[in-house]
Amino acid sequence: MKSLLPLYICLFFLNFSNAQVYEMLPPENIRTIRFKGAGQEFSGTPIVQLGTPLVLTFDDLNANEENYYYKIEHYDFDWTLSDLSKNEFLDGFDNLRIMNSQNSFGTLQSYTHYELRIPNKSTQGLKVSGNYLLKILNGAGEIVFSRKFILYETLAKVAVEIKRARDLKFIDTKQSVNFSVGSDFGAGNQTFIFRNPKQTVKTLVVQNNDLHSAISNLVPQYTIGNKLIYKYDQEASFWGGNEYLGFDSKDLRAANLGTRRIELLDIYHHYLYADGIRGDEPYTYNPDINGRFVVTSSEGRNDVVEADYIWMHFSLFCPKELNGGSLYLYGNFNNFALDNSNKLTYNPQTGAYETSRLFKQGFYNYKYILLNKDGSVNSGIISGDFDETENQYTVLVYYRELGGRYDRIVGAGSANSRNITN
């Protein structure tokens, strides 16, 4: 499974190329990893305020009630380990066993479900803002998988606007993120002053919770008082993309959204209607959840251990020349990664690119992207790119004060492209 991992590491971090640590992909038996802040509706890379509880859950299809442990590390802006010792960023202890686990009930596919909550009795909380990595280890101390998360403070106010590209060549296909960073919260609040901001302030702009395509380290164009202004066009622009496709598998035996037929073998197999190229068609609004997923089942009362697993079969008609590139299924279901488990292969008998993947029952978003032979990614070759597409943007502001030993995140702002302007 992990034969493509070096390729993924080296080639897929296109805009965030200074990253020094990557998220390790899980083995085949680890499925449905969900990581979120308390109160968040959907899982993904948690980008939450410092002090927000965190919840990580996952399933082990071996169902052997294995012992898994967790470890937390703190990183600087460029994802190199920070100089902080463990007790400077962690209140309590880590490298402890995950205590909360349950076996599946009434499912064709057996699994053990694990849940980790932070804070807990042993890990009381995290003390500082910044980039973090949560590692899950087995009993031998080997990393099974890892996930990033980001904690921010609210010392600075980040105002974000989404604009159409000013370059007429991209006005219908790209979305630019303009923002300002200040600390004027009004009377009664302490003013946070940026000193030497061109050297001490760094920013990260994220589209739809996908760190792989994030734009990093834009320098403020100018300042007005203590407010930093970022009004870049191409430097802060993202391809608009298209709304994600989706399928609904909450019912094992009945065809729901997008399902063409159902077959029961060892477990249930769902075959979706074939997808085609949407980039040549006019944009059509179709509500999505920006690449994420929700676990849900209509058969049981407790989705956590009563939702079953289904083999979902995908097919794509793509007459375009790929020039040695490869097509992949893309979404938060596997943390937006590219590996053999979501790579499509051409079937000459059907004339379509096909793949199948094991999913826990629920509602999932997905789309298709192309990994070119040279390592670049074309995310719009199948779906197209439209300035009308609904996307969620998050801007994070990192600050290392003079003499500081780590990069803290002093502010976060967000905006949605539904409110895009010229």
Side-chain angles (χ1 to χ4, degrees), residues 38 51-55 70 91 116-126:
T52 302
L54 299 165
V55 183
Y70 67 96
D91 184 8
L116 170 65
R117 290 183 176 270
I118 300 172
N120 54 54
K121 290 182 179 180
S122 300
T123 307
Q124 284 81 40
L126 297 162

Side-chain angles (χ1 to χ4, degrees), residues 24-314:
M24 179 171 286
L25 300 179
E28 290 286 347
N29 60 296
I30 301 298
R31 295 280 174 166
T32 320
I33 300 171
R34 291 180 287 175
F35 196 15
K36 63 180 182 178
Q40 290 186 316
E41 185 176 3
F42 304 115
S43 61
T45 299
I47 302 176
V48 296
Q49 188 171 344
L50 180 64
T52 302
L54 299 165
V55 183
L56 172 80
T57 64
F58 62 93
D59 296 339
D60 183 351
L61 302 190
N62 289 338
N64 292 328
E65 300 185 25
E66 300 283 355
N67 291 328
Y68 290 106
Y69 301 80
Y70 67 96
K71 184 177 180 181
I72 302 171
E73 295 175 343
H74 185 265
Y75 288 79
D76 285 327
F77 170 78
D78 61 357
W79 289 100
T80 56
L81 274 171
S82 73
D83 292 333
L84 299 182
S85 59
K86 185 80 71 172
N87 62 3
E88 289 182 287
F89 66 81
L90 179 65
D91 184 8
F93 304 93
D94 65 347
N95 207 12
L96 301 170
R97 186 166 69 90
I98 298 175
M99 303 298 293
N100 191 350
S101 64
Q102 302 178 70
N103 289 321
S104 59
F105 177 76
T107 59
L108 295 174
Q109 170 65 60
S110 299
Y111 58 88
T112 303
H113 179 79
Y114 294 84
E115 180 180 292
L116 170 65
R117 290 183 176 270
I118 300 172
N120 54 54
K121 290 182 179 180
S122 300
T123 307
Q124 284 81 40
L126 297 162
K127 300 178 180 179
V128 301
S129 61
N131 295 339
Y132 284 87
L133 186 70
L134 176 65
K135 294 180 177 179
I136 304 301
L137 309 111
N138 60 22
E142 302 166 328
I143 300 176
V144 179
F145 68 90
S146 60
R147 283 292 184 270
K148 293 178 178 179
F149 65 100
I150 297 173
L151 304 181
Y152 63 83
E153 303 171 70
T154 56
L155 300 175
K157 183 178 181 180
V158 184
V160 185
E161 293 181 301
I162 310 304
K163 302 284 188 177
R164 292 182 179 85
R166 292 193 291 271
D167 187 335
L168 293 179
K169 181 180 178 182
F170 302 108
I171 191 170
D172 295 326
T173 56
K174 284 191 173 185
Q175 298 171 345
S176 296
V177 182
N178 289 180
F179 58 97
S180 64
V181 182
S183 57
D184 184 10
F185 288 111
N189 292 284
Q190 184 177 0
T191 300
F192 184 82
I193 299 190
F194 294 106
R195 303 185 186 281
N196 196 14
K198 288 195 174 183
Q199 280 72 45
T200 59
V201 175
K202 297 181 176 66
T203 58
L204 186 70
V205 186
V206 184
Q207 182 192 58
N208 294 334
N209 200 244
D210 183 359
L211 293 182
H212 300 133
S213 61
I215 295 173
S216 64
N217 207 15
L218 296 171
V219 177
Q221 292 175 301
Y222 58 92
T223 62
I224 300 177
N226 194 41
K227 182 178 288 187
L228 313 179
I229 308 299
Y230 300 77
K231 290 188 177 293
Y232 290 97
D233 184 39
Q234 287 303 307
E235 296 87 345
S237 67
F238 292 80
W239 292 105
N242 202 341
E243 310 300 344
Y244 278 82
L245 301 169
F247 66 83
D248 184 350
S249 60
K250 66 176 179 289
D251 194 325
L252 287 171
R253 303 168 185 84
N256 287 303
L257 176 66
T259 305
R260 177 170 54 90
R261 68 182 179 93
I262 296 173
E263 184 178 19
L264 176 59
L265 299 174
D266 52 341
I267 62 175
Y268 280 92
H269 289 242
H270 286 207
Y271 295 81
L272 298 177
Y273 285 102
D275 296 310
I277 294 176
R278 296 184 290 156
D280 300 329
E281 300 174 359
Y283 170 79
T284 301
Y285 176 65
N286 182 36
D288 64 4
I289 53 176
N290 290 330
R292 302 184 183 184
F293 66 92
V294 179
V295 172
T296 180
S297 168
S298 62
E299 287 88 8
R301 295 182 179 180
N302 184 1
D303 297 337
V304 168
V305 292
E306 294 184 42
D308 213 330
Y309 275 82
I310 296 170
W311 277 105
M312 193 64 62
H313 296 260
F314 302 83

Side-chain angles (χ1 to χ4, degrees), residues 300-334:
R301 295 182 179 180
N302 184 1
D303 297 337
V304 168
V305 292
E306 294 184 42
D308 213 330
Y309 275 82
I310 296 170
W311 277 105
M312 193 64 62
H313 296 260
F314 302 83
S315 60
L316 170 69
F317 289 113
C318 178
K320 290 190 175 183
E321 177 59 51
L322 302 183
N323 298 316
S326 299
L327 290 169
Y328 289 84
L329 199 66
Y330 195 65
N332 185 242
F333 56 83
N334 73 336

Side-chain angles (χ1 to χ4, degrees), residues 382-396:
I382 305 299
S383 302
D385 290 292
F386 303 92
D387 66 294
E388 302 104 315
T389 303
E390 180 271 319
N391 293 303
Q392 183 70 28
Y393 292 94
T394 302
V395 177
L396 297 170

